[in-house]
Amino acid sequence: MPDSSARKILVTSALPYANGSLHLGHLLEMVQTDIWVRFQKSRGHDCLYVCADDAHGTAIMLTAEKRGITPEQQIARIKAEHEQDAAGFHIGFDNYYSTHTDENRYWSEEIYRRLHANGHIASRAIVQAFDPEKELFLADRFIKGTCPRCKTPDQYGDNCEACGATYTPADLIDPVSAISGARPVPKESIHFFFTLPALADMLQAWIDSGTLQPQIANKLREWTDAGLQEWDISRDAPYFGFEIPGEPGKYFYVWLDAPIGYIASFQNLCDRSGHDFNSYWQADAEAELYHFIGKDIINFHGLFWPAMLHSAGLRTPTAIYVHGFLTVNGTKMSKSRGTFINAGTYLQHLDAEYLRYYFAAKLSGGVDDIDLNLEDFVQRVNADVVGKIVNIASRCAGFLRKGFDNTTAVSCAEPALLQAFLDEGETIATAYEQREFSRAIRAIVALADRANQYIDDKKPWVLAKEAGREQEVHAICSMGINLFRVLMTYLKPVLPAMAERSEAFLRCSLDWTALDGPLLGHQLAPFQPLLTRVDPAAVEALLSACSEPA
């Protein structure tokens, strides 16, 4: 019989851009999302995780041209790499798709039509910089010139990396197209706009509804208080994307169809799995919807996206969960320092679960930046996971194998201690639910300390040398195994591969819903190493591999 308390949850993380490799900043978000999803599944909820590659835009078109391939070939190549790297980090997508798909074209056109029918699309002529050689309108990042303030050459069209000034491309001294080197010329074109100010009241209610983290709601209020502007949702040909219905040569701006990719990926999953699409996306849907994103894209997800959904008669998110940026050794990731680390390069040198654990140990429900301190990374993984948690299983398994046919005792030696571990489960579950992963990890490590202290106090290695103390050794080591089982149940969302090896050793499920008492008279499999220590030399090799050649 289905559990009437089971929740229906749809979860997404931001779509990686199909123009380059995944790096550890992407992995921070994917790991955070994946831990939360795995926790929900372990608790017995119907939780689905969908994502996709963001596959449109001028940058992808230009990269493909430079490589001498089609944009379709470029996005297919990157998607295969993204999927391989995500799988290497045990990211359990229920569907990983692309925005360059029939489903996304359908929903982009359908939502646009609904916005248009509601009077929420406007059009007017605007003047933009135009590359006369490439015959291409230029976004600010494709224009370079000398900074008007500090006179540093070769700066982008919107800000100076040398002095931090912000400006428009028109302010640049001697501006040139970064694509062809030609001097841009002003040119007029008709553009289409989403009339965001018309939805100001709806957005005010949404921001005040308590569904957003307080810092994020405050940031969005800064924008609404300053006065909402209409959002330019069109780009001119040539452009790699979807043509706007009835408007030849006009294309949806990549940020219009990127979040719609969440809907498209889920539609694709529903068509294959039998899930009911409407019960997740209609305005009255009872299912929960959560977006995990970085703080650099909150305007798209916190203003444009809910306003579009509302106008189109679809549901808005239950919540948007925003995290901070990733720094490495206290600073922004840097190729020259060897700290700009791609996912694939990391996997060539280190176990994915080291990083999953470290991220979990640092992540909170807030939007603070997360620092990957590599010295702390080595110490924490080795001390906590290998030195404390794996240690419990390995030290007890040896005694059970040698003297007791790998079978646990038929009674529980310390029922009160086991109950204390089980009772801590709800506190840990609440921390996971609130994305306070660091709090959950602290509670789990504190339990591991108690388990190790119990074994240290009982000293089974001493008792094993004394005749007639066999049953005490059996009871102590069986207790240790049962405590380890509880700990690994709590850690399974963070360390799924280690949990799988532990399930093979324990011969039982480590899902939260299976945690209903001790393993009594239970035969274990032969113990195999669950996780090895982080080798500092491997970390050095990783940094060396990521360093730019001198």
Side-chain angles (χ1 to χ4, degrees):
M1 223 176 117
D3 180 358
S4 59
S5 64
R7 295 154 60 189
K8 279 174 62 174
I9 309 170
L10 177 59
V11 181
T12 74
S13 50
L15 312 187
Y17 198 45
N19 208 36
S21 300
L22 296 182
H23 53 68
L24 295 198
H26 294 113
L27 264 299
L28 175 69
E29 178 169 298
M30 286 186 178
V31 166
Q32 181 188 34
T33 313
D34 185 68
I35 290 171
W36 198 80
V37 168
R38 286 180 183 274
F39 162 72
Q40 301 295 352
K41 289 182 175 182
S42 179
R43 297 278 282 182
H45 300 304
D46 180 6
C47 186
L48 298 167
Y49 178 14
V50 301
C51 195
D53 266 6
D54 178 6
H56 288 154
T58 304
I60 285 169
M61 181 178 75
L62 294 172
T63 298
E65 185 180 299
K66 195 180 290 184
R67 289 176 171 271
I69 58 176
T70 65
E72 288 82 1
Q73 288 171 317
Q74 161 72 3
I75 64 177
R77 183 181 68 84
I78 293 292
K79 181 171 183 283
E81 182 191 306
H82 285 179
E83 289 186 282
Q84 181 179 337
D85 288 345
F89 278 91
H90 314 299
I91 308 300
F93 299 119
D94 290 284
N95 198 42
Y96 194 86
Y97 208 41
S98 168
T99 58
H100 192 62
T101 57
D102 290 342
E103 293 92 341
N104 205 39
R105 182 189 296 276
Y106 168 81
W107 278 107
S108 297
E109 292 179 354
E110 178 64 20
I111 287 172
Y112 173 80
R113 286 192 187 98
R114 294 182 190 184
L115 300 185
H116 199 284
N118 291 338
H120 292 151
I121 299 293
S123 63
R124 63 176 180 273
I126 65 166
V127 176
Q128 286 177 285
F130 185 76
D131 183 330
E133 283 189 23
K134 288 290 289 183
E135 297 189 331
L136 181 76
F137 284 98
L138 296 168
D140 292 354
R141 69 182 180 281
F142 292 124
I143 302 172
K144 285 193 163 185
T146 298
C147 172
R149 190 166 86 178
C150 73
K151 308 300 187 283
T152 301
D154 202 35
Q155 296 304 303
Y156 286 104
D158 51 0
N159 73 288
C160 176
E161 291 187 342
C163 72
T166 58
Y167 41 74
T168 69
D171 299 323
L172 279 175
I173 301 167
D174 298 327
V176 296
S177 163
I179 301 166
S180 72
R183 187 177 182 88
V185 297
K187 186 174 180 180
E188 190 174 86
S189 172
I190 298 293
H191 272 233
F192 295 86
F193 296 82
F194 175 40
T195 59
L196 201 62
L199 292 137
D201 290 345
M202 171 262 155
L203 284 171
Q204 206 60 59
W206 148 260
I207 292 167
D208 293 341
S209 64
T211 61
L212 299 162
Q213 293 139 295
Q215 315 90 306
I216 301 306
N218 289 339
K219 185 65 185 173
L220 294 176
R221 284 189 196 101
E222 287 178 22
W223 280 313
T224 58
D225 291 350
L228 293 168
Q229 304 297 311
E230 291 186 339
W231 180 40
D232 188 342
I233 60 161
S234 69
R235 295 295 182 267
D236 291 277
Y239 193 79
F240 183 60
F242 295 142
E243 203 165 39
I244 298 176
E247 305 294 344
K250 305 292 181 181
Y251 288 78
F252 289 126
Y253 173 43
V254 58
W255 263 108
L256 182 285
D257 71 66
I260 296 172
Y262 302 140
I263 296 177
S265 184
F266 186 63
Q267 177 79 69
N268 177 257
L269 176 64
C270 289
D271 292 345
R272 292 184 291 104
S273 66
H275 280 85
D276 176 31
F277 178 88
N278 288 339
S279 67
Y280 288 83
W281 281 104
Q282 288 305 315
D284 59 353
E286 290 184 7
E288 301 167 49
L289 171 64
Y290 300 98
H291 299 310
F292 284 74
I293 62 165
K295 62 185 178 182
D296 54 330
I297 53 174
I298 55 174
N299 56 334
F300 296 107
H301 285 79
L303 294 176
F304 308 154
W305 179 232
M308 280 169 50
L309 290 168
H310 179 79
S311 176
L314 299 170
R315 60 91 46 79
T316 52
T318 308
I320 296 172
Y321 293 144
V322 183
H323 61 82
F325 296 139
L326 177 69
T327 58
V328 180
N329 289 341
T331 58
K332 188 177 173 182
M333 289 196 292
S334 155
K335 288 183 178 174
S336 62
R337 284 191 293 268
T339 56
F340 192 94
I341 304 170
N342 282 339
T345 312
Y346 175 98
L347 291 170
Q348 290 168 16
H349 296 272
L350 293 165
D351 192 307
E353 298 216 300
Y354 299 156
L355 193 67
R356 288 182 66 103
Y357 181 81
Y358 192 76
F359 281 165
K362 302 275 278 197
L363 275 162
S364 73
V367 294
D368 298 330
D369 292 346
I370 304 296
D371 185 49
L372 169 57
N373 179 295
L374 291 166
E375 198 175 306
D376 182 47
F377 165 80
V378 173
Q379 190 278 330
R380 196 177 294 215
V381 173
N382 287 346
D384 290 1
V385 186
V386 183
K388 293 179 179 178
I389 293 154
V390 172
N391 188 47
I392 298 166
S394 61
R395 70 201 302 202
C396 293
F399 289 108
L400 294 180
R401 178 179 59 79
K402 283 177 198 160
F404 307 99
D405 191 31
N406 260 355
T407 303
T408 60
V410 294
S411 62
C412 179
E414 303 278 350
L417 179 59
L418 180 63
Q419 193 57 49
F421 273 52
L422 295 172
D423 289 346
E424 194 69 14
E426 284 313 302
T427 301
I428 292 167
T430 299
Y432 272 126
E433 180 70 44
Q434 296 172 348
R435 304 169 329 285
E436 294 286 349
F437 298 163
S438 57
R439 197 169 76 217
I441 292 294
R442 283 195 300 275
I444 293 165
V445 172
L447 290 177
D449 285 337
R450 286 181 69 182
N452 279 297
Q453 189 61 54
Y454 165 76
I455 296 165
D456 288 343
D457 289 347
K458 297 295 184 182
K459 297 182 171 52
W461 55 92
V462 173
L463 299 180
K465 295 174 185 170
E466 299 177 19
R469 311 290 295 269
E470 293 82 9
Q471 293 315 308
E472 289 174 71
V473 173
H474 196 196
I476 295 160
C477 293
S478 299
M479 187 66 199
I481 292 297
N482 276 300
L483 297 179
F484 169 77
R485 177 201 178 193
V486 178
L487 292 172
M488 279 312 301
T489 297
Y490 298 157
L491 273 175
K492 186 178 180 180
V494 177
L495 301 172
M498 182 171 150
E500 193 175 313
R501 291 189 287 273
S502 299
E503 285 174 328
F505 161 60
L506 293 170
R507 288 181 168 156
C508 73
S509 166
L510 290 173
D511 281 346
W512 219 292
T513 51
L515 197 56
D516 53 5
L519 301 173
L520 302 177
H522 180 85
Q523 180 139 41
L524 308 171
F527 182 79
Q528 303 288 336
L530 298 174
L531 196 70
T532 55
R533 294 172 67 81
V534 185
D535 182 354
V539 176
E540 290 302 319
L542 170 63
L543 294 179
S544 178
C546 294
S547 294
E548 286 184 326

